[in-house]
Amino acid sequence: MKLSLLAAELGLKALPEDKDITFITDNSAKVCDGSIFVCIEGKHFDGHTKAAEALENGAAAVVVQKDMGLDRQLIVDDTRAAYTKLCAAFYSHPEQKLDIIGITGTNGKTTSCFIIHSVLERLGCKTGMIGTVKNITGDKEYPASLTTPDPYELFRLFAEMVESGCRCCVMEVSSQALAQKRVEGVRFKAAVFTNLTRDHLDYHGTFENYAAAKHLLFENSDLAVINVDDEAAQYMLSGTQCRNVTFSAKSDECDYSAKNIRVSAAGVKYELVSNDNIGRVDFAVPGEFSVYNSMGAAVCLVEMGYDFREVLDALSQCGGVPGRMELVKTDTPYSVIIDYAHTPDGLENVLTSVREITDGRVICVFGCGGDRDKTKRPVMGEIGARLADFVIVTSDNPRTEKPEAIINDILVGLKGYDTPYAVIPDRVAAIHYAMDHAQPGDVIVLAGKGHEDYQEIDHKHYPMDERVIVAEHLKETQK
């Protein structure tokens, strides 16, 4: 694509030399001949410092938001927004050829995404998916590195979906992606709000900023599907021009409600009720949060025009999601569940749900991520002490922090409780310890890692798949 065409997308005149553009990036290390380098000013690094070097390394142009005095510069007001617009244009605006459904919230995004993808596929609608666990473009699957990808990767995925014949795309939309304008200019056919609890304050600074970032999604959607049982619901409903639809598991003051809720180890059952319809939902993932995740997905699709009965029938055929209340096959008198719970609300949800389905003890193995919001560590420690019968405090993704320092922050929350606990910084050893001390009827909850098959330490990823750890330890101890 010619540089002049991309410049026009930004409302700018072409540069004297109208080069062919082969690539767009905000990473100076990826600059190549014929690329555009977008200079983004981040928290720790300013891409403008690499503008001249990028031109020397073959960039056809640099996009800046301050005059760098360079010959081949395109000056814009906001380079983040410009990066996304350029990527959309480079791939011929594939987002305009898809019905895109966005899911946002602190917890439940991944499960909701999987549900909607599964239901649409069962209804005969070829659908792409973008999220935390993996990206699906119809015929191909890719591992995911970010909940919402970098703009160049995002629009590449959109383009591949269109090429493979997808009509829809369902995607997780993170607060960071919204704040960083990774979906700038994307119009969502529908957007679902799951919930809002404390998370990512290391990035957003305040809870108010976090909520405001989430709200951006509903400012760019045709339909908002809102969980009104959440305290932030009214804020999400405010100031939007789109059509709003609400759902609740606790109140009739909404458009859709869940009645006669039954929770068991096999999943959840309830009646989904609206003014026009009533139908039975049977969703095979246990826990009250599964009511909300399945409701939000069903309501979204029905309000988009899909048949109520067909949606509920397809929903009842959906299976579980990797790393979300995932029961590991052990053939032992105790059970092992892997869950991604890495926030206070997530940990409370999973432990409460497990409590409902176990006759024995709840053994919780968890840690907290390094280089992230430190204030949630003692809160999660308190939740573990309050809701589990035995707590094993260990390491999660320590990143650049010392695991022992993170653990000490967690232990503050255990004070005042007589819940027995152990501190085992080595996560593999912690899992082994839990399995070695489990009794018949116990449920071991491995919280925090979920679908992840690595542990991040000092910017490096080391293999750590908890399913493999469990299987290997069983094989070793059963010799």
Side-chain angles (χ1 to χ4, degrees), residues 323-340:
R324 271 65 179 174
M325 283 290 284
E326 180 183 347
L327 181 64
V328 181
K329 183 176 176 57
T330 59
D331 294 324
T332 58
Y334 61 85
S335 301
V336 177
I337 287 176
I338 293 176
D339 194 87
Y340 190 49

Side-chain angles (χ1 to χ4, degrees), residues 64-140:
V64 297
Q65 59 187 35
K66 49 190 174 185
D67 190 345
M68 301 297 293
L70 301 170
D71 291 337
R72 300 197 304 278
Q73 65 179 12
L74 296 170
I75 304 176
V76 298
D77 293 331
D78 186 335
T79 51
R80 287 191 185 277
Y83 183 28
T84 303
K85 291 177 182 177
L86 286 171
C87 293
F90 183 79
Y91 282 105
S92 302
H93 290 287
E95 79 283 0
Q96 297 176 3
K97 303 163 189 171
L98 294 164
D99 285 344
I100 302 178
I101 303 166
I103 318 288
T104 201
T106 305
N107 299 304
K109 295 189 296 297
T110 300
T111 300
S112 300
C113 214
F114 267 82
I115 295 171
I116 291 175
H117 180 267
S118 176
V119 171
L120 284 173
E121 288 280 323
R122 291 177 187 280
L123 295 178
C125 178
K126 194 170 185 179
T127 302
M129 184 175 78
I130 294 172
T132 305
V133 175
K134 60 183 176 180
N135 299 321
I136 303 173
T137 59
D139 301 322
K140 298 179 181 178

